[in-house]
Amino acid sequence: MALSVVLGLGLAGVLAGAPPVSAERFAAVVTEKPCEELGDVLIGALASPDKELASRAEAVVGRCGKRVAKDLAKASEDPDAGPRAVPLLARVSPELARELLPARLGVGDAKARATVRSALAHALDRAPDPAAAWLQFALKPSTDAANFDATRTLLGHLKDAGPAGKARLFAGLGGDEDARYLLLPGLAELATSGDEDARKKLNSLVKEAQEPWIRERAAALCANVVCEELVAAVADSNPRVRATALASLHGGFNPAGRAALTPPALAKLATDDPFPFVQVGAVDLLASAGPSEQVDQALLAALSARSTRVRGTAAQAFATRFSSGIAETAPTSKRLRELLGNENEDPSVRGAAATALGNSCDHEAIGVLRRTAIDGALPLATEAQIETAKASALALGRFADGDARKELAAIKDPNVRADLRQAAGMAVAATPVCR
């Protein structure tokens, strides 16, 4: 069917709207007529607010296949039937969808536009030569209204679209802030495929974009791309950009950037930044560093941060580093013992401190671990004490201390909460690693 004819039929559908169809009429027509003659009855059923009727229409499309392609083409222009008809058209007749749907790009509300993009991508992927189809699509001129949606449709297929797809993408990145935000993943897609122009552009946006949400988005996408500007971005004026840059540096694609951030600089971020989520990012980056007295000192400083989240993350960092044998016990253990023994401290911090002390094999910690483990088994124990007790009991299981193991074995009273009894039992059954 010629494009002009189908669009003409579609325009009539838009102006008149799909005729209402009852379930009874639909059932009668489907029974009496062949697929090729369902016409407006099928379109009306697809447009119906009755979900059961619309579902029955979709089932008929599945049975009839290409024989109802012209009806689906007409329905794709209808404001009510279109959301159901467009993906069905791409499924039963990808070749007709490839011909018609580009004219639907940029039309309707956000949901309708997303439906057309998805269906068109489906149809292009099912061409006899998908790479050639994507390239042809990228080369096809379109109106300004459709151009942005055409470029968004290309995301995920830019490599197939070749230079034409790249040219569309870079042109789109010159648009408004919303366009740039939505097209940034395409830039990262090209960069990860080895395109140096895309990598440089993404890298520059981390620093040069005026809008902080663009800088943040670019920094996040640099998690899988080498971006030198991430180091400078940890000092960005916007806290979310700082936190995102730290998170991307934590990945494996920017080792040079991680090396450029010294422990003292990260320690300053971990303790002095006014936003806890930035401080946590700095602590996470410190935690993954290799053996270093400077790193341990920076994490030790973070154990005294004002934020509960930061203190807990720092304690957990020591638990990980002790477990891997890359942190020195003293003087960290003393501070961890203080945190664990402080009943005014948050239980998440106390629990992380208990785990770190167990992993450190610091025998001086046995006393405070025993006290906090037993406190949770007392008749009037609070929720915070019980949570801390569970972590302390499990930490004690790493030590070959006979008295501590006897005390843990005695936590069998049915009045003691079941999860604490279970933790104590696991600790007693564990093979000691701290001799």
Side-chain angles (χ1 to χ4, degrees):
M1 177 176 285
L3 175 59
S4 59
V5 174
V6 173
L7 290 180
L9 289 172
L11 182 59
V14 171
L15 294 175
V21 176
S22 68
E24 293 77 11
R25 184 184 176 210
F26 178 76
V29 171
V30 168
T31 302
E32 296 171 3
K33 292 189 176 184
C35 292
E36 293 83 354
E37 298 179 16
L38 295 180
D40 286 347
V41 171
L42 177 62
I43 298 173
L46 288 171
S48 174
D50 183 339
K51 291 184 179 179
E52 183 178 349
L53 177 57
S55 179
R56 288 169 62 188
E58 291 176 0
V60 168
V61 171
R63 173 172 60 82
C64 292
K66 288 183 181 293
R67 289 175 291 171
V68 294
K70 63 181 179 60
D71 295 326
L72 292 173
K74 181 179 177 181
S76 71
E77 299 287 322
D78 184 272
D80 297 317
R84 293 189 178 97
V86 164
L88 291 171
L89 175 63
R91 188 189 313 162
V92 304
S93 184
E95 60 278 10
L96 186 54
R98 291 193 295 273
E99 179 187 353
L100 300 182
L101 292 184
R104 296 291 301 153
L105 289 169
V107 178
D109 59 19
K111 185 176 180 180
R113 291 167 62 183
T115 299
V116 171
R117 289 196 304 270
S118 175
L120 181 54
H122 178 94
L124 288 165
D125 275 338
R126 277 147 190 79
D129 184 348
W134 280 106
L135 177 57
Q136 185 179 14
F137 173 68
L139 289 168
K140 188 173 183 177
S142 59
T143 64
D144 290 342
N147 189 56
F148 177 58
D149 271 13
T151 306
R152 290 187 71 187
T153 304
L154 284 165
L155 300 186
H157 302 274
L158 287 166
K159 194 172 182 180
D160 291 329
K166 178 179 174 179
R168 268 188 180 270
L169 175 67
F170 273 71
L173 288 168
D176 62 24
E177 60 195 57
D178 289 339
R180 282 180 286 136
Y181 186 88
L182 291 169
L183 295 179
L184 272 175
L187 192 63
E189 176 193 337
L190 278 182
T192 54
S193 72
D195 189 290
E196 185 63 11
D197 292 334
R199 189 196 72 80
K200 288 180 178 178
K201 179 65 173 176
L202 179 64
N203 194 46
S204 69
L205 289 171
V206 174
K207 179 180 180 181
E208 297 172 6
Q210 289 187 340
E211 304 86 356
W213 48 92
I214 299 291
R215 298 198 302 275
E216 180 189 359
R217 177 81 151 167
L221 292 166
C222 281
N224 298 315
V225 180
V226 176
C227 292
E228 299 84 356
E229 293 296 346
L230 285 174
V231 177
V234 301
D236 193 277
S237 60
N238 184 277
R240 296 201 176 277
V241 177
R242 297 199 296 274
T244 304
L246 288 166
S248 289
L249 284 167
H250 197 268
F253 282 82
N254 290 279
R258 288 200 304 276
L261 284 175
T262 63
L266 287 171
K268 184 173 178 62
L269 277 171
T271 55
D272 295 351
D273 196 281
F275 293 89
F277 58 87
V278 178
Q279 294 177 286
V280 167
V283 170
D284 282 338
L285 204 54
L286 285 165
S288 64
S292 165
E293 184 179 349
Q294 276 193 319
V295 169
D296 290 347
Q297 288 298 317
L299 287 171
L300 179 59
L303 288 174
S304 298
R306 294 177 61 184
S307 166
T308 298
R309 279 187 61 201
V310 176
R311 295 195 302 276
T313 304
Q316 188 58 53
F318 273 116
T320 301
R321 291 173 69 79
F322 283 141
S323 180
S324 303
I326 58 173
E328 293 293 331
T329 301
T332 307
S333 185
K334 178 182 177 183
R335 179 61 183 137
L336 289 169
R337 293 197 301 270
E338 291 172 354
L339 287 172
L340 177 57
N342 182 1
E343 293 190 358
N344 294 319
E345 181 58 87
D346 189 90
S348 66
V349 178
R350 298 180 76 193
T355 302
L357 288 167
N359 291 355
S360 74
C361 286
D362 176 20
H363 284 77
E364 290 187 47
I366 291 176
V368 67
L369 286 169
R370 286 171 67 179
R371 288 195 301 276
T372 50
I374 293 169
D375 283 349
L378 297 176
L380 298 179
T382 65
E383 178 73 21
Q385 287 175 316
I386 294 170
E387 289 301 313
T388 303
K390 289 191 293 183
S392 295
L394 292 171
L396 276 174
R398 295 175 57 85
F399 293 90
D401 183 279
D403 291 338
R405 286 180 166 268
K406 287 179 183 178
E407 290 172 343
L408 289 173
I411 301 178
K412 296 179 179 178
D413 191 308
N415 291 319
V416 175
R417 211 166 73 179
D419 51 352
L420 177 54
R421 295 200 310 271
Q422 182 181 26
M426 291 172 61
V428 172
T431 301
V433 295
C434 303
R435 300 286 180 177

